[in-house]
Amino acid sequence: MALRNGPDEFGLVTRVIHWTTMLLVIGQLALGLRLSDMEPGLANLWLYGLHKTIGFALLALILTRIAWHIVSPPPPPIGPRGPAFWAARIAHWGFYILLVAIPITGWAGSSATGIDVMIADRWTVPSLVEASEAGEAFWFRLHDILTKVLLALITVHMLGAFKREMEGDGTLTRMIRGRP
Ligand code: HEM
Ligand code: HEM
């Protein structure tokens, strides 16, 4: 089983990163939505910590993925270079940008609260911005908007994958077992 991507195949590394990211992103969206309905307090502070820790794991994962794709470029979408091809390309780029921007806006919003931002309750990361209520409102608003864009993109991406698989081009099979 090849670790690297081939000209027409997804290698194991890309596939493991893809499906791990999917699980973490879905959990993270659900957890974030719960948090936005809560008032932070002693009883639920661990949930905020969990969300931040998973968020940093996702940031590390997307940076690893981008670096890996420079070392081992993924295959282009299946089919001719028509609208579906470019839609897939744009969606993939959208994911790379959002999965970097969303953790950074969450990190900036959390820094603006003036409370130390920690990974796994253990490592304190540097503050990205000065503490201020206006900054907190601004960065969390941006975090919120970008997560809604991510949710919309995931929906379109999933529907596109299922549609193409049902048409029989093997797009989904290729992301599961490497080749169509
Ligand atoms: C890809 C990674 C991430 C995803 C998908 C994500 C998703 C979300 C979502 C959907 C919300 C609810 C937004 C709303 O309805 O207002 C949220 C809230 C929040 N996120 Fe994230 N997040 C991520 C990373 C992070 C990181 C890295 C941090 C901090 C270091 C963070 C801190 C927060 C906090 C503190 C809230 C609650 C904001 C409030 O009280 O309104 N997030 N997140
Ligand atoms: C939920 C978060 C998801 C994210 C962030 C995401 C992101 C991506 C990205 C960036 C790519 C381009 C290749 C790569 O960088 O690995 C990709 C490819 C792919 N994704 Fe997802 N994905 C998600 C969920 C899903 C789901 C739920 C499905 C299927 C039901 C799916 C099916 C596929 C398929 C079939 C490809 C290959 C497309 C091709 O051959 O051009 N993805 N995804």
Side-chain angles (χ1 to χ4, degrees):
M1 198 174 283
L3 291 181
R4 297 175 71 95
N5 297 310
D8 299 309
E9 289 169 25
F10 282 112
L12 190 63
V13 175
T14 295
R15 283 181 282 138
V16 169
I17 294 180
H18 177 268
W19 295 112
T20 311
T21 304
M22 182 205 83
L23 290 177
L24 290 178
V25 162
I26 290 174
Q28 187 72 341
L29 286 171
L31 182 54
L33 284 174
R34 289 287 292 127
L35 291 183
S36 63
D37 284 340
M38 291 178 177
E39 275 304 316
L42 281 182
N44 61 17
L45 219 52
W46 69 277
L47 277 177
Y48 285 82
L50 180 65
H51 182 79
K52 292 174 190 177
T53 302
I54 298 176
F56 281 114
L58 275 165
L59 179 60
L61 213 51
I62 191 68
L63 295 177
T64 307
R65 183 171 182 158
I66 292 169
W68 176 247
H69 284 176
I70 294 171
V71 176
S72 176
I78 295 171
R81 287 174 179 250
F85 176 97
W86 292 111
R89 267 277 151 94
I90 291 167
H92 299 162
W93 274 94
F95 280 131
Y96 301 138
I97 294 166
L98 286 170
L99 289 179
V100 172
I102 290 173
I104 289 177
T105 53
W107 182 359
S110 302
S111 303
T113 63
I115 302 168
D116 277 351
V117 182
M118 299 178 79
I119 300 177
D121 272 342
R122 227 188 140 109
W123 297 283
T124 306
V125 296
S127 273
L128 287 187
V129 298
E130 303 249 311
S132 80
E133 275 184 23
E136 183 182 340
F138 171 79
W139 288 109
F140 280 138
R141 183 89 189 98
L142 199 55
H143 192 61
D144 177 21
I145 293 170
L146 293 180
T147 56
K148 300 289 187 297
V149 177
L150 177 65
L151 199 58
L153 197 59
I154 292 171
T155 310
V156 174
H157 176 69
M158 260 177 65
L159 292 176
F162 287 136
K163 176 177 176 287
R164 298 185 60 166
E165 186 65 23
M166 284 191 297
E167 285 165 359
D169 77 358
T171 287
L172 184 56
T173 314
R174 185 166 77 149
M175 194 35 111
I176 295 170
R177 54 156 213 229
R179 56 189 78 204

